[in-house]
Amino acid sequence: VPTPRTALLLAYPGFTALDLFGPQYFLAALPGLSPRVVAYGRAPVPGDGGAVVIPACTFATAPDECEVLLVPGGSLGVVAAMRDRDTLAFLRTRAAKARIVATVCTGALVLGAAGLLRGRRATSHWLVRDAVLPRLGATPVAARLVEDGADLITSGGVTAGLDLGLALVRRLAGEDYARRVALLAEYRPARAPEMGDPEGALPEDVDALKSMFGPLLAQVCEAADNAAATFGPADAEAAGGARQSPHA
Amino acid sequence: VPTPRTALLLAYPGFTALDLFGPQYFLAALPGLSPRVVAYGRAPVPGDGGAVVIPACTFATAPDECEVLLVPGGSLGVVAAMRDRDTLAFLRTRAAKARIVATVCTGALVLGAAGLLRGRRATSHWLVRDAVLPRLGATPVAARLVEDGADLITSGGVTAGLDLGLALVRRLAGEDYARRVALLAEYRPARAPEMGDPEGALPEDVDALKSMFGPLLAQVCEAADNAAATFGPADAEAAGGARQSPHA
């Protein structure tokens, strides 16, 4: 008897709502797939910017297997999530039985803190990618989407979650279906081409954001080092390999 | 004494989460502005695709004045919202004192059912725009964003809400600030150019979606006609003008 296919979307205090609900829209368009928000307990979870969500299931009640395990990013909330044993344990058990593990923005750092990016190629928000991913044993890649093998897709900052969602639809339902979902979503953004691209941004804008998020980056680096210190000797090789990356 | 600036984000049963949390991300990046989800009551509001949110305030407790009043779209939920007297009355009172009223996707139909698009130029999801907006006295415009005067911005389907969010940041905080928020959001999508554009889509894709959403369109048209029937004689002129639109 086939069980209903599930996409588990992790919510933790301070998660960025758009990181979760970007992919959620696309996943909800997949026939036979139920996106379900999962959190530590039944209590409402406050995200960034006034968002408060109620989880559909908890770390204890979430199904063991899922099609997609999604980890959204956040700002200060990410530091706490990277240090939370329950969150990391949940990710480890469910990732082992997930068809695809996917992250948006700084969600990659939470997945990485669970030891699940060791030896893998991954991306994250440009503000943290090259500084933090190597500390977690991952090789940073400067790309909006990084598909590493059949079971891992990481994506860049915030809005990259929409491209992730579309990539998941393509992977799970094919190119024709993805094209129709994109049309239903009217996914043909109109922003000016010089905006939003870390590689082509004005240096003063990059500096302003680096300055604004410097304290957060320091906290995230510390949380990453603390997490990596728990990985154990079996993982030294993968972490070492990643440290030799030209990005590191 | 200045009161805190608020963006009121309407949630109603069946709203599309991405329609709300796309703009919410950008609005949350504005200094001194608090995005607040508002709903009929304090009860959790179920959206599309497994999203459940808790409102920060209710129709009764929401501030009278706001910087932005945002109406997200939905599918079947929109039909009910277009018929709900409390929702329409709330929109009328708050729109009168909002600096900018903004809609995403089929949210324009809810605003229109409240009589607030009469005589205005507006857009909506391409599947409903030309068939429904004229019934509500509006002139449909085939554009992703339509800024009509200083107090109204309507946007196209689902993901157009991100462009709306960026437009609101630009309007409220200027071009330089908007460019930095776009960089923080990494808003430089990577989808293939032939995807997601209603004007350039494959005819078979357009037909497939029109067929799938035909029954919903019929319900929305009926709800629009019922709403327009309550607008009263003073509004006949604007509605008549819109009916003569080449799009109607």
Side-chain angles (χ1 to χ4, degrees), chain A residues 8 19 40 55 111 115 138 153 167 172 182 191 195-196 229 236 240 245:
Chain A
L8 290 176
D19 286 14
Y40 173 77
L111 190 69
I153 311 181
L172 297 172
R191 86 280 174 259
M195 292 177 83
S245 153

Side-chain angles (χ1 to χ4, degrees), chain B residues 84-107:
Chain B
D84 184 66
R85 284 164 188 254
D86 293 313
T87 298
L88 303 183
F90 170 78
L91 290 177
R92 280 185 210 109
T93 59
R94 293 320 192 277
K97 295 189 173 185
R99 177 167 168 189
I100 303 174
V101 178
T103 68
V104 182
C105 197
T106 51

Side-chain angles (χ1 to χ4, degrees), chain A residues 113-134:
Chain A
L116 297 169
L117 288 182
R118 285 174 288 169
R120 310 295 298 258
R121 299 168 63 253
T123 191
S124 183
H125 194 286
W126 63 271
L127 275 164
V128 300
R129 186 187 56 223
D130 295 343
V132 186
L133 288 179

Side-chain angles (χ1 to χ4, degrees), chain B residues 99-101 116-123 138-139 141 145-154 171:
Chain B
R99 177 167 168 189
I100 303 174
V101 178
L116 297 169
L117 289 181
R118 286 174 288 170
R120 309 296 297 257
R121 299 167 65 252
T123 190
T139 302
V141 179
L145 281 185
V146 174
E147 309 198 21
D148 187 57
D151 62 344
L152 177 67
I153 311 181
T154 52
R171 189 84 78 85

Side-chain angles (χ1 to χ4, degrees), chain A residues 126 202-213, chain B residues 180 183:
Chain A
W126 63 271
L202 293 178
E204 69 232 48
D205 287 354
V206 172
D207 290 346
L209 292 176
K210 279 187 174 172
S211 168
M212 188 182 305
F213 288 94
Chain B
R180 290 182 183 177
L183 182 57

Side-chain angles (χ1 to χ4, degrees), chain B residues 12-62:
Chain B
Y12 53 85
F15 77 99
T16 295
L18 181 51
D19 286 15
L20 190 152
F21 289 110
Q24 177 262 0
Y25 176 82
F26 291 90
L27 291 168
L30 284 168
L33 186 76
S34 296
R36 302 180 72 188
V37 174
V38 59
Y40 172 78
R42 288 266 173 216
V45 183
D48 268 353
V52 182
V53 301
I54 297 189
C57 54
T58 70
F59 290 175
T61 65

